[in-house]
Amino acid sequence: MDNQQKAVLFAFLLTFTNYAFAGDTSMSQSEKNTNVMQSDRYENTPMSVEEKSFLYAINQMVASDDQETDYQKLIANAPTDHKGVFWYECAVALSELPENSELDLRNNGRLFVALGILSNLIKVNPSFPQIWAQRIIVLNYLAHGYSAIANNEFLESSTRKDFFERSKVMAKILTDLSLEATKSFPNDEWFQEKHEAAKQDFGYLFESNM
């Protein structure tokens, strides 16, 4: 991502981060599990010292907005016996925003790797709303990030069109997933709110002939 695209994203995120979670004064348990990590987050989890150290290292990389590392290769060498809790916490760590609010939109970047982990977790743990909620949050970041770039009139039309199509794909997955979540967890208002927000935020993408 070039500097101009990053500038657009940064300006967008200053408002989006507050907007995305505004109004959720009554959080569901699924959303509470996506809070910013604390230093003792992993202390009472059934993970090995090596697994915890790996997650702490990811926290530091995310905090410093490391967009040079190939996170797909990184997790391929994770020191784990593949506990579900480890992979969930890994996805949460990768999908946190750094202090500068930059989004890592690379195919091997933090958000896409987190999305891949969560997609696999949902297949084997479909009854855990925390996994669904975290995947919705990641998709929300990706769809909004791509949309912000696509709507930048100072970029070349070919670049805008590319990001428009990417945003459209992420928005469709987000809308479909949040709808499915409302059916899987009908008593969780958080999923209902996120589905309505997705339709409101991205409905124009499916009407535009950009």
Side-chain angles (χ1 to χ4, degrees), residues 58-183:
I58 288 182
N59 287 335
Q60 295 301 313
M61 297 167 75
V62 171
S64 64
D65 188 31
D66 181 343
Q67 294 198 31
E68 300 297 327
T69 295
D70 184 329
Y71 289 92
Q72 193 63 58
K73 290 183 178 179
L74 181 68
I75 68 165
N77 296 310
T80 180
D81 57 359
H82 302 293
K83 299 182 184 75
V85 65
F86 169 80
W87 286 115
Y88 171 73
E89 293 293 355
C90 187
V92 171
L94 288 168
S95 53
E96 292 288 345
L97 288 183
E99 290 186 7
N100 63 8
S101 295
E102 282 280 354
L103 295 181
D104 185 355
L105 299 177
R106 298 172 299 146
N107 291 336
N108 61 354
R110 301 187 298 264
L111 291 177
F112 266 105
V113 172
L115 187 62
I117 293 172
L118 294 164
S119 298
N120 288 326
L121 286 176
I122 282 181
K123 293 177 183 178
V124 296
N125 298 285
S127 62
F128 286 84
Q130 297 92 334
I131 300 173
W132 291 72
Q134 195 65 31
R135 192 177 181 211
I136 286 171
I137 289 171
V138 174
L139 286 166
N140 212 18
Y141 282 145
L142 289 168
H144 275 97
Y146 287 149
S147 179
I149 296 174
N151 287 308
N152 179 13
E153 298 180 355
F154 296 100
L155 296 178
E156 295 182 359
S157 59
S158 59
T159 299
R160 294 182 62 204
K161 183 175 178 59
D162 176 50
F163 280 97
F164 171 79
E165 292 300 326
R166 296 186 192 189
S167 181
K168 191 172 181 179
V169 169
M170 292 297 113
K172 181 65 165 60
I173 298 173
L174 170 62
T175 304
D176 290 348
L177 182 71
S178 57
L179 175 60
E180 188 177 354
T182 64
K183 298 176 180 178

